Amino acid sequence: CLTMLPGVVVTPCDIVGEDTLPHFREAGLADRTSYCQHDIMQSDFVPQLKRRHLRDGMRYVVLGMHCCGELSLRALEIYEEVGAEAALLVPCCFPSRASKVAPEVYEETECQDTMYLRWAEHLQRAALQKVAATDRERSIAQADPHASGVELTRVEHVMSKRDLLIRVTR
């Protein structure tokens, strides 16, 4: 909740226009947001984001709510590229079978809940690779993900079955 973070300005980014996302106005947070209309999948996204926030000591936290398909992986890339302190991801849809991004998601099941859990676990492993810079750190992280700064938990108050949170901290 932004009321707990005085002075923080949030930069929501989406490919669609700001007028289609009234969430911040409805929540009374319009004065605390600086909307960025951009396709985060494009290679110029991170440089543009950095230009918007060229202030000494700027700190980043990447928040991906209900990221469809490969957007969760892109959020992890952005986390790494901007040197964010944390990433909070609540994935939604998993990539299509045709994308071949995470074939283990689909192995021997047609159950959507199982596939969603497998996708979240795939993202957790991808996040471990981002925070563990060396082979030694990666082996420690694989043995104890909580010690690594990567956690996969269920969020009670999400009004969807897609309620897993991947929390990544440095």
Side-chain angles (χ1 to χ4, degrees), residues 34-50:
S34 171
Y35 188 77
C36 171
Q37 182 176 353
H38 201 84
D39 182 350
I40 72 166
M41 299 301 274
Q42 297 297 313
S43 61
D44 67 335
F45 172 72
V46 169
Q48 179 180 331
L49 184 65
K50 286 181 174 180

Side-chain angles (χ1 to χ4, degrees), residues 79-97:
Y79 161 82
E80 188 172 45
E81 290 174 32
V82 301
E85 292 185 28
L88 303 168
L89 304 176
V90 178
C92 183
C93 316
F94 26 87
S96 70
R97 289 178 198 260

Side-chain angles (χ1 to χ4, degrees), residues 61-86:
V61 173
V62 174
L63 171 64
M65 287 300 297
H66 292 279
C67 293
C68 292
E70 296 178 41
L71 286 176
S72 292
L73 289 171
R74 179 63 179 135
L76 288 173
E77 290 172 1
I78 293 166
Y79 161 82
E80 188 172 45
E81 290 174 32
V82 301
E85 292 185 28

Side-chain angles (χ1 to χ4, degrees), residues 125-138:
R125 288 189 299 276
L128 284 169
Q129 294 297 312
K130 303 289 183 198
V131 298
T134 67
D135 288 339
R136 184 176 186 290
E137 288 173 342
R138 279 191 279 283

Side-chain angles (χ1 to χ4, degrees), residues 9 14 16 34 55 61 71 77 106 113 143 159-160 162:
V9 175
D14 204 308
V16 297
S34 171
R55 295 193 302 234
V61 173
L71 286 176
E77 290 172 1
Y106 300 99
D113 293 342
M159 297 174 63
S160 164
R162 307 281 167 102

